[in-house]
Amino acid sequence: LLLGETLPDIHPMEAKKQLAARIVERFHDRAAADAALADFNTRFSKKDLEQSDLPEVPVPAPGADIISAVVAAYGALGKTKSRGDVRRLVEQGSVQLRGEKITDGKATPEFGKGDVLRLDKTHAVRLG
């Protein structure tokens, strides 16, 4: 509908990727579309956050608990999450630091520059 044409009869995920790439290309350029598709494949299909182009947020202060760190990371992304919301994410195992799940809201891990902090299923940041 947006592009005024029909997509070929292919797997729905491939159709979504093609549609997204064509929309990005329309409003930006082919290089931006290729970069966005490559980043999507790296982050979500391959689940390789280490190689992804992630937003950078400040390293939390030494001794900061995981809940404070995640709330601050969401804030740096321009998103608002309450401590209660973040506590639930932690307890559900959604929050990961360096690929390891953190399920204790009182945990005070050592945060380092360059570490990947996964906030939830779709949001991750690099500490810098």
Side-chain angles (χ1 to χ4, degrees):
L1 188 63
L2 184 64
L3 297 173
E5 52 193 71
T6 60
L7 290 173
D9 188 25
I10 55 177
H11 188 276
M13 179 54 81
E14 187 59 34
K16 288 178 190 179
K17 288 179 183 181
Q18 284 184 14
L19 177 62
R22 296 184 68 197
I23 291 171
V24 171
E25 182 178 5
R26 182 175 215 177
F27 291 100
H28 298 282
D29 59 20
R30 185 70 203 161
D34 291 341
L37 180 59
D39 186 57
F40 177 86
N41 286 332
T42 301
R43 288 180 73 175
F44 298 105
S45 297
K46 296 177 185 174
K47 296 185 178 170
D48 184 8
L49 295 177
E50 290 294 328
Q51 303 302 318
S52 296
D53 182 24
L54 299 173
E56 192 168 300
V57 300
V59 176
D65 66 13
I66 191 66
I67 292 176
S68 299
V70 173
V71 168
Y74 273 115
L77 294 176
K79 301 185 181 303
T80 304
K81 288 278 187 187
S82 70
R83 289 183 63 82
D85 288 342
V86 171
R87 180 175 288 109
R88 282 186 284 282
L89 288 172
V90 169
E91 290 171 354
Q92 294 168 1
S94 296
V95 175
Q96 297 178 11
L97 179 64
R98 295 182 296 272
E100 296 181 23
K101 288 183 182 181
I102 299 176
T103 57
D104 178 10
K106 296 178 183 176
T108 56
E110 290 187 28
F111 299 100
K113 187 174 180 135
D115 286 348
V116 173
L117 178 62
R118 183 174 173 179
L119 309 176
D120 58 31
K121 188 175 182 179
T122 59
H123 296 93
V125 296
R126 189 173 314 277
L127 303 178

